Amino acid sequence: MEANRRQGGIKLLLAAEQEAQQIVNAARSEKMGRLKQAQEETGKEAAEYRAQMELELQRKITESCGDSGANVERLEQETDAKIHHFKMEAGKISFDVSQMLLKHITTVNV
């Protein structure tokens, strides 16, 4: 009778161990499933963020290129204005400069 009791106790312990192992395996499986889902969601979020940043970069590049064209036009206008100003100033003093040069060329110093 004692042997039957021990045998029953051992069987009970083995059954409890198997049940515990099944619980642990189920928990491990569930945890791995949640980790895999979290990785997939993180990958999607990263891809969305990367796409958003790429769009922002392209927008900034487009804006800066547009500004560059405006800057070139503004610089051309400023350059033309300065050239016109220098020509006007040169025109005002060109007669005086040519007279001064003629005077120095034709004057003989003894």
Side-chain angles (χ1 to χ4, degrees), residues 23-92:
I23 292 171
V24 168
N25 286 340
R28 210 176 265 148
S29 239
E30 188 177 327
K31 178 182 176 184
M32 293 304 291
R34 285 192 313 255
L35 283 173
K36 186 175 181 179
Q37 181 183 5
Q39 282 180 328
E40 289 173 357
E41 288 175 5
T42 303
K44 287 178 185 177
E45 288 177 9
E48 289 172 4
Y49 180 75
R50 191 176 303 115
Q52 181 183 5
M53 289 295 105
E54 182 66 27
L55 285 174
E56 182 70 20
L57 175 66
Q58 292 301 325
R59 185 184 62 79
K60 286 184 179 183
I61 288 172
T62 302
E63 285 177 0
S64 69
C65 287
D67 289 346
S68 177
N71 286 337
V72 167
E73 186 177 330
R74 181 185 53 83
L75 287 173
E76 284 178 354
Q77 289 175 352
E78 288 177 8
T79 303
D80 290 342
K82 286 181 182 181
I83 290 171
H84 180 72
H85 173 73
F86 289 138
K87 284 183 177 179
M88 294 296 291
E89 290 296 316
K92 288 179 185 177

Side-chain angles (χ1 to χ4, degrees), residues 84-103:
H84 180 72
H85 173 73
F86 289 138
K87 284 183 177 179
M88 294 296 291
E89 290 296 316
K92 288 179 185 177
I93 61 169
S94 66
F95 180 75
D96 294 335
V97 170
S98 60
Q99 290 299 319
M100 180 185 70
L101 285 173
L102 282 173
K103 180 181 172 187

